[in-house]
Amino acid sequence: MKFKLILAVSLLLGLGGAVRAQDTQAAPAPQPATPAPQYTEPQLVEEFGWFMAKRVGIAELGFDKQQIDALVKGIVAAAEGKDTPYELEKIGPAMDEFMQRKQTAYMSKLKQQGEAETATFFAEVKKKPGVVVLPSGLVYEIEQQGEGPTPKPTDTVKVHYTGKLVNGTTFDSSVQRGEPVEFQLDQVIPGWTEGLQKISKGGKIKLYIPPQLGYGDEGRPQIPPASTLVFDVELLEIKPAAAAAATEAPAPAPAK
């Protein structure tokens, strides 16, 4: 069923991520040898159980004590090789509905938290000197205007950016990756489309983007529902729509 599939996929992704992280870490400088920690098998299994539950997000589902006991009972039965005590085909739809309710309640809680954070955050940001508040709800602060024309929505722009949540957590950064990104301005979130039209090539702007101009109530990986986003953006290049189309156009066929 869906929950079982989520559990399996999450576990595999988590283990794969852990292996990849180990593969990409730089070799540490030689250190004096220290004794490796010794763990008992029960400790290792306990950690494995914690890892599975953490990756699946059990805590986020808000199970009460009775539900946690039932969950453990089911895990024990599966670990001992026992069959399900219920007919899976019959209980499956009810289980999916129950888990969906749990997930919906969790998302609703995150949305309420996001809305409260947004209200508090913008109340303070709007007090800052130099910020501009637009009717759409976008708030921005130009740090460097740049030179030349500003981009149109159909233009292609090349930028460097860093995106953060209001708590300061960085969720994405082309600067950290060391590679700018290029896109047509009207193909991104509305806060970017509107905000980047305020600066020219070489300009820098800080965008305070409310949820309705960002990723809304759905959120994205690393971005909770109803999150306000803070972007520091540097506009490196503007390609007018006609020039960008010409660059991407295929070469003409040879004359017959």
Side-chain angles (χ1 to χ4, degrees), residues 189-202:
I189 57 175
W192 272 59
T193 303
E194 186 175 17
L196 286 183
Q197 294 181 71
K198 304 301 180 183
I199 57 174
S200 305
K201 180 179 178 180

Side-chain angles (χ1 to χ4, degrees), residues 144-147 149 151 156-161 174-175 178-183 192 196 199-205 233-239:
Q144 185 171 304
Q145 180 59 52
E147 297 182 357
T156 295
V157 297
K158 179 184 288 187
V159 304
H160 255 319
Y161 69 92
S174 68
V175 177
E179 184 176 353
V181 296
E182 190 171 310
F183 51 83
W192 272 59
L196 286 183
I199 57 174
S200 305
K201 180 179 178 180
K204 296 181 180 180
I205 191 169
V233 188
E234 180 180 5
L235 181 52
L236 303 174
E237 186 178 352
I238 302 172
K239 294 182 181 179

Side-chain angles (χ1 to χ4, degrees), residues 109-208:
K109 179 181 177 181
L110 288 182
K111 178 183 175 183
Q112 292 174 3
Q113 291 175 347
E115 290 173 344
E117 287 180 349
T118 291
T120 301
F121 179 76
F122 276 112
E124 293 301 317
V125 165
K126 291 176 182 179
K127 297 176 183 178
K128 295 178 62 177
V131 301
V132 179
V133 182
L134 299 180
S136 65
L138 178 67
V139 178
Y140 68 90
E141 183 178 355
I142 294 179
E143 299 174 339
Q144 185 171 304
Q145 180 59 52
E147 297 182 357
T150 58
K152 298 180 177 61
T154 53
D155 290 344
T156 295
V157 297
K158 179 184 288 187
V159 304
H160 255 319
Y161 69 92
T162 295
K164 297 182 179 181
L165 303 176
V166 296
N167 63 9
T169 300
T170 298
F171 59 83
D172 192 14
S173 175
S174 68
V175 177
Q176 291 180 358
R177 292 193 298 272
E179 184 176 353
V181 296
E182 190 171 310
F183 51 83
Q184 187 169 307
L185 193 51
D186 60 2
Q187 299 299 309
V188 289
I189 57 175
W192 272 59
T193 303
E194 186 175 17
L196 286 183
Q197 294 181 71
K198 304 301 180 183
I199 57 174
S200 305
K201 180 179 178 180
K204 296 181 180 180
I205 191 169
K206 184 182 287 288
L207 301 172
Y208 304 95

Side-chain angles (χ1 to χ4, degrees), residues 11 30 34 43 62 86 92 102 115 121 144 181 206 213 254 256:
L11 177 58
T34 55
Q43 288 175 325
Y86 311 100
K102 283 290 188 181
E115 290 173 344
F121 179 76
Q144 185 171 304
V181 296
K206 184 182 287 288
L213 299 179
K256 293 183 179 180

